[in-house]
Amino acid sequence: MAEPAQNGPASERCEGPSLRVAVIGAGMAGILAAIKLQDRGIECDVFEKGDGVGGTWRENTYPGLACDVAAHWYTYSFARNPEWDSLMAAGEDIRAYFERVANDFGVTQRTRFASEVTELHYRDGGWDLECTTGYQGRYDFVIAATGVLHHPNIPRFDGLETFEGAVFHSARWNHDVELNGKRIGVIGTGSTAAQLATALVPRAERFDLFQRTAQWVLPRDNVPYTEEEKARFRKDPEALEALIRELRAKTLEGFATAVIDADSPELAAIEQICRENLDTVKDPDLRHRLTPDYRVACKRLVISSTFYDAIQQPNANLVTSPIQRIEPAGVRTADGVLHDLDVLVLATGFLVDRFIRPTRVIGRHGTDLDDVWAEGPLAYLSMSVPDFPNFFLLNGPNSPVGNFSLVEVAQHQIEYIMQLVDGICRGDYSEVSATPGALRRFETERREAARKTVWVTGCDSWYLDKDGVPASWTFSYDRFVDETAAPRMEDFETQ
């Protein structure tokens, strides 16, 4: 199993032309990009549409929010945090971690908040940038660190606007709404809904979970760290690194192999664990309604040791009849039942194909990124798009997603991008972007590899594009590490 780079190749100062870089987004990946640029002495401005750093961890504040990836693995290799209280951290603690790193490394000070970038236009060897504040600037290259989970998906429900109670998306939580003793409905059954069920069932008079599709649930106890363990991590960084290597290996040696090979023994083992977990639901009818009709991990696994207990409580109700419409008093389902509610939460996920959009991005020869991505977003190794010189994406199209550490993914990608930037610093070239041939080859291989993955075994998930092909990394994680170790310059067009 390939090991992650701790700090990537030794950082070299940019001693060539004076460069200006625009980083779009101040979430996990944007903070990382700004730090790595500063390491090389490259001037950068960070543009953030929100009022603070943290990205999805700033925007999501719902009760029960937590990361389902081990907290110690979900940190920058150069800024570990020995203070995590448990295996998987709460959302507010993760947000505080990113805020602290951004402050400590000077990223907050160079970020323009409430500044959504509206247009990027490549002209005469540079990028002209405009944002909502009226600011206009020119940059030598752009790093889009806009993430995936930031455009809420709000399905069209007939009558939604007539609901007389409080209604909001889980990523736009209204903390002014009283929840204790209320009749609460949640639409959706993904990871967010499972966390909401655990948090809200004890507080609600009645909790209705509206399920369109059952989910497989993998149990994982959120084991607390003792004060003695945290003291050891503070004193001995290598002990903490050893733990991270262990956490990483457990995930990658099992799950990473399982999802890319539907016939693997690793997937069979995960299926067995999920089925045993489902058997803890005592009522046969409820267990039947919670049983998916597709393979384990075809959709993103819900990681929870508490969801099944929550949905079995006397005040919890799993609703599987389709939603017909929303009425002033609540939700009417196709069986004719009106579910009276005080609060309705849309835990309906995100539009995961937006990436940097709705920003208008115009590349070489007036090429519009919206036109290039008309059939779906693509990028060579998830980072570079032909005809868009000096424009790079972090956690872009077809990156490894799912139950991985996206922090580690972004670190591999930024080190790769920095090596391309180093070529500009050395004066080897002034423009660099993937060739059309390289993108075609990568995409052909990626789609061929997709045929063996569990994601194409018969479910409808946010992993799949309009053609039913997973919009994800379909190779091994080891290959991702190897591919991002160093650019193959024959795959790039330079000037």
Side-chain angles (χ1 to χ4, degrees):
M1 177 65 65
E3 288 292 329
Q6 291 302 302
N7 292 293
S11 296
E12 55 181 83
R13 303 288 289 182
C14 186
E15 303 296 347
S18 178
L19 299 178
R20 291 189 73 205
V21 182
V23 176
I24 317 299
M28 171 276 294
I31 294 168
L32 172 64
I35 291 170
K36 291 301 181 180
L37 289 165
Q38 290 171 177
D39 283 349
R40 282 166 165 77
I42 297 174
E43 179 184 352
C44 74
D45 292 330
V46 182
F47 294 86
E48 170 54 53
K49 67 180 180 181
D51 60 1
V53 303
T56 193
W57 300 105
R58 179 198 66 240
E59 297 192 5
N60 286 272
T61 58
Y62 61 81
L65 172 65
C67 186
D68 57 14
V69 174
H72 283 299
W73 189 27
Y74 196 76
T75 56
Y76 304 119
S77 63
F78 53 84
R80 299 300 194 197
N81 176 29
E83 307 301 331
W84 297 122
D85 290 324
S86 56
L87 177 66
M88 294 173 286
E92 60 183 344
D93 294 333
I94 297 171
R95 183 177 72 252
Y97 166 77
F98 287 123
E99 289 174 347
R100 184 169 64 254
V101 172
N103 288 331
D104 289 348
F105 285 84
V107 178
T108 306
Q109 298 91 312
R110 62 175 60 248
T111 300
R112 295 174 176 267
F113 294 106
S115 299
E116 184 172 6
V117 176
T118 56
E119 182 167 319
L120 293 164
H121 201 133
Y122 192 75
R123 299 184 181 97
D124 302 323
W127 286 97
D128 293 325
L129 176 150
E130 297 181 13
C131 66
T132 50
T133 62
Y135 172 84
Q136 297 180 339
R138 185 165 175 83
Y139 295 87
D140 296 288
F141 61 97
V142 174
I143 296 177
T146 49
V148 182
L149 306 180
H150 64 108
H151 292 294
N153 176 41
I154 302 179
R156 293 183 179 180
F157 294 111
D158 287 344
L160 182 62
E161 70 284 354
T162 71
F163 181 59
E164 293 178 347
V167 58
F168 44 84
H169 191 276
S170 58
R172 300 291 184 266
W173 198 268
N174 186 344
H175 290 275
D176 293 331
V177 173
E178 177 60 52
L179 300 173
N180 292 333
K182 300 299 181 181
R183 298 166 300 175
I184 303 172
V186 172
I187 298 176
T189 48
S191 295
T192 294
Q195 292 175 350
L196 284 169
T198 298
L200 297 183
V201 166
R203 301 174 61 180
E205 175 189 316
R206 192 185 74 243
F207 180 89
D208 289 339
L209 182 64
F210 295 89
Q211 172 184 284
R212 183 177 63 179
T213 306
Q215 304 279 347
W216 287 109
V217 181
L218 182 71
R220 192 178 194 186
D221 291 332
N222 195 16
V223 180
Y225 291 111
T226 66
E227 288 304 317
E228 289 77 11
E229 286 175 309
K230 290 193 279 188
R232 181 162 61 93
F233 296 151
R234 292 186 208 109
K235 182 178 179 181
D236 184 4
E238 179 48 39
L240 179 54
E241 291 300 328
L243 173 64
I244 293 170
R245 287 194 294 270
E246 178 185 348
L247 293 169
R248 180 181 184 274
K250 284 181 178 179
T251 299
L252 297 185
E253 291 173 4
F255 183 77
T257 299
V259 293
I260 65 167
D261 184 357
D263 297 323
S264 66
E266 289 84 358
L267 182 59
I270 294 173
E271 287 178 333
Q272 179 66 23
I273 294 170
C274 288
R275 291 186 182 279
E276 290 174 356
N277 189 38
L278 182 61
D279 285 341
T280 64
V281 178
K282 298 179 177 63
D283 179 73
D285 175 65
L286 178 60
R287 185 169 63 248
H288 173 72
R289 290 185 292 135
L290 286 169
T291 302
D293 60 359
Y294 53 86
R295 294 280 303 275
V296 169
C298 186
K299 290 176 177 284
R300 188 181 190 276
L301 284 172
V302 173
I303 311 294
S304 176
S305 294
T306 55
F307 170 65
Y308 285 152
D309 180 66
I311 202 62
Q312 293 181 83
Q313 295 305 305
N315 65 325
N317 180 34
L318 181 71
V319 182
T320 54
S321 181
I323 293 173
Q324 188 176 70
R325 63 180 179 272
I326 312 297
E327 299 183 4
V331 176
R332 178 83 63 180
T333 47
D335 57 6
V337 175
L338 174 63
H339 303 267
D340 294 303
L341 299 172
D342 302 304
V343 181
L344 179 60
V345 180
L346 308 178
T348 47
F350 299 86
L351 302 173
V352 297
D353 64 347
R354 300 291 87 194
F355 296 101
I356 191 172
R357 297 177 289 181
T359 301
R360 189 174 185 224
V361 184
I362 307 298
R364 185 188 289 130
H365 310 308
T367 305
D368 192 322
L369 188 63
D370 277 341
D371 293 335
V372 175
W373 284 0
E375 299 300 315
L378 300 173
Y380 171 68
L381 295 183
S382 309
M383 291 179 278
S384 181
V385 182
D387 288 326
F388 291 81
N390 300 356
F391 173 80
F392 306 105
L393 300 116
L394 290 174
N395 287 315
N398 310 318
S399 287
V401 295
N403 305 89
F404 298 118
S405 170
L406 291 188
V407 178
E408 181 178 295
V409 169
Q411 277 202 237
H412 284 293
Q413 291 175 335
I414 194 63
E415 294 297 352
Y416 181 97
I417 292 167
M418 287 298 100
Q419 292 178 70
L420 294 171
V421 173
D422 288 342
I424 297 176
C425 290
R426 290 191 301 268
D428 296 346
Y429 43 79
S430 60
E431 297 182 4
V432 58
S433 58
T435 66
L439 176 56
R440 283 194 300 270
R441 186 190 72 241
F442 169 70
E443 188 60 16
T444 298
E445 292 180 13
R446 191 187 69 81
R447 286 175 172 262
E448 178 63 26
R451 297 168 62 181
K452 288 186 62 179
T453 69
V454 71
W455 300 313
V456 298
T457 56
C459 70
D460 181 18
S461 78
W462 63 267
Y463 288 149
L464 303 181
D465 65 17
K466 66 179 183 63
D467 298 320
V469 177
S472 180
W473 187 265
T474 57
F475 311 109
S476 71
Y477 195 82
D478 279 356
R479 176 167 174 175
F480 171 74
V481 173
D482 292 341
E483 291 272 12
T484 55
R488 290 183 292 194
M489 293 310 299
E490 62 269 24
D491 286 345
F492 288 89
E493 179 181 356
T494 60
Q495 293 186 22

